[in-house]
Amino acid sequence: MNEAALKALRKRFYTDFKFYAEKAPLKIKTKKGETTTLTLKPAQLRLIDLIEELLRTKGRASVIILKARQQGMSTATGGYLYYKVSQNKSKKAIVVTHKSEASTNLFDMTKRFHDGINNHPMMPLKPSTSHRNGRQLAFDKLDSGYAVATAGGDGIGRGDTFFYAHLSELAFWPAATAEDNFNGLMQAISPADGTVRIIESTANGVGNIFYREWQKAVNGESDFVALFIPWFEEAEYREPVTAKLTYTDDEKKLKRLNKLDDEQLMFRRMKIAEIGPDAFKQEYPSTAEEAFLTSGTPVFPPSHLEQQTAKEAKATYSIDSTGLHENSRGALAVWQEPKPGETYYVSGDVASGSTAKGKDWSVSHVLDSDGNLVARYRAQIQPDVFAHHLEKIALHYNEAKVIVENNNHGGTVLNELYKHIGYKNVFTEVVVNKITEEQTVKLGFNTNKKTKPQLIDRLKKALREREINIPDKITLAELKSFVEKPDGGMGAEGRNHDDCVMSLALALWIHERRWEPITNQEDWYVEGL
């Protein structure tokens, strides 16, 4: 091989992971216990292609993966990180798993990658190591390394800087330390171009950091790009069919939407018989939405929420003193612009305005007379500013009627909206003194132990009877994680939010269904005898 060809080959090994995995080669152990060369499956190729596209277009790659069981995401991620560390100088990778056994398995996989590399004299691909133990592989001449840790300890990653990170089964990290471990690791990742951060996990309910990070990625609120891998992308997930299948309604829907064949449906049937339908949805999801089961008792039945279809907003607006302005990062998402003569209802669930992580949001929903959610506002802003934004939203939607919760910071919003701004189309309640029978008109709606169940029951009925149409994925996610609490109360599970739930319930409280005239039929009437 001449020098030019050798140079081109070296470059390809350095820049083409798929070629490197096949020719270096990267060795893996199969489910049957056999050692073979890594051949990337379609789901693994989707991940690698996404990583390299992000590196090419954004300079950095941050991917969060929601997957079914045993689809090879850990293997593909581990192989890619080994490739990066072993081919570059002064780069460190860290892998963090949910339990010690998993850490050992991933590190054994990495050592297998390293041991399987062919090191031809003219093409040295295997870097020399200074030491390799149960948790670390160090490449002395490159000053690079690969370390594995188990979530649950204090200070993982602190005091070090990593270029590559693989956070495995994040949904199952110990709850007491998961938040601190995750935040510490994110701070330990280099801000330089070329960094790669991969989170991969099966779902484990909605009360954990993986669910929150997934929702943030889906909603465009983080640097991570969401990648969902449904179970049927795994070619091995199929079983022989010995007789013609009679399809259930669910199977007919799956065949129509996902082009499943009978062997795939037979695998699904056998797994459901083994672990049950709910566990199958979590372990082998067909959609990202069905993967996340609540660990508590959901207030809103999942079957009712599945009738709703999330859609991308047609426009987003920022709001200032002059009105609404199109802005891709604006707080107001709009699915339908106002129609002349239409009646609209606007809600306001008020937060303190703190922008600290985990704090609540001030939220507003806009319903039309048919119960369609046409717009949703969500921001962490001061209550008096929220009042001005509510006025602009209400004016935009044909001087809509506004209902604002008057608890806590809601009083500030109502005072600003009604008295200072002068917007008068605001919901009021007449309160009667039981002793004096004196009537007092109060601004806003008071949410308490008596009225909150009434709000939620009204919303439950609307969802059950499909009187409301919700295209907003953030609102749907909050409805899904709204559960009954052990003390008999209701609220968001774990560290999730329920601001959208309460805002939507308020809008529905003042909503008046469109009046539909009744057409008289002649046979309704008979002559008197």
Side-chain angles (χ1 to χ4, degrees), residues 306-319:
E306 287 170 4
Q307 296 173 351
Q308 303 291 330
T309 302
K311 298 178 181 178
E312 291 298 321
K314 293 182 178 179
T316 52
Y317 294 91
S318 59
I319 305 175

Side-chain angles (χ1 to χ4, degrees), residues 81-296:
L81 264 59
Y82 172 80
Y83 157 73
K84 283 292 190 179
V85 170
S86 66
Q87 300 296 300
N88 289 279
K89 291 183 178 180
S90 304
K91 302 292 187 294
K92 292 183 179 180
I94 186 167
V95 179
V96 183
T97 71
H98 60 308
K99 57 184 180 180
S100 181
E101 179 185 355
S103 298
T104 299
N105 290 339
L106 286 185
F107 192 68
D108 287 345
M109 180 180 68
T110 303
K111 290 190 291 185
R112 190 177 299 111
F113 290 152
H114 185 69
D115 292 340
I117 299 295
N118 292 326
N119 218 14
H120 191 280
M122 298 179 65
M123 187 65 61
L125 297 176
K126 181 190 292 186
S128 66
T129 58
S130 58
H131 63 275
R132 48 185 290 176
N133 53 37
R135 296 287 176 174
Q136 192 171 7
L137 188 62
F139 306 130
D140 50 353
K141 294 183 180 179
L142 289 175
D143 190 28
S144 294
Y146 195 105
V148 175
T150 303
D154 293 329
I156 294 178
R158 295 187 186 278
D160 213 334
T161 301
F162 300 98
F163 226 75
Y164 312 111
H166 174 194
L167 312 186
S168 181
E169 295 296 353
L170 179 60
F172 297 87
W173 286 18
T177 55
E179 197 91 27
D180 288 341
N181 284 173
F182 179 80
N183 291 338
L185 285 164
M186 291 300 99
Q187 297 305 311
I189 307 298
S190 169
D193 281 351
T195 55
V196 177
R197 302 182 297 174
I198 307 297
I199 301 170
E200 49 86 11
S201 186
T202 47
N204 184 30
V206 299
N208 57 68
I209 189 170
F210 176 70
Y211 176 76
R212 292 192 293 277
E213 291 300 318
W214 173 263
Q215 290 298 328
K216 284 163 61 176
V218 168
N219 297 330
E221 297 171 355
S222 77
D223 292 334
F224 281 90
V225 174
L227 175 63
F228 171 66
I229 310 292
W231 68 269
F232 45 79
E233 285 195 19
E234 174 52 59
E236 295 180 12
Y237 288 161
R238 53 202 320 120
E239 292 288 345
V241 178
T242 57
K244 183 176 176 59
L245 297 184
T246 300
Y247 305 123
T248 66
D249 289 342
D250 282 347
E251 289 172 341
K252 290 177 183 177
K253 183 178 179 181
L254 284 169
K255 279 182 69 68
R256 184 177 72 255
L257 294 177
N258 303 307
K259 307 294 188 290
L260 301 192
D261 59 41
D262 285 1
E263 289 189 348
Q264 290 173 306
L265 291 176
M266 181 57 71
F267 169 85
R268 179 178 179 271
R269 285 187 181 185
M270 294 181 68
K271 275 296 176 184
I272 288 175
E274 177 185 340
I275 64 177
D278 287 341
F280 183 84
K281 287 182 178 180
Q282 178 168 283
E283 301 286 337
Y284 301 92
S286 297
T287 65
E289 290 73 25
E290 75 176 21
F292 294 104
L293 299 173
T294 58
S295 56

Side-chain angles (χ1 to χ4, degrees), residues 434-452:
K434 293 182 179 179
I435 299 175
T436 66
E437 297 186 353
E438 181 181 353
Q439 294 184 348
T440 305
V441 177
K442 290 192 174 182
L443 289 171
F445 183 91
N446 186 262
T447 306
N448 51 50
K449 289 183 179 180
K450 179 181 178 181
T451 60
K452 184 175 181 178

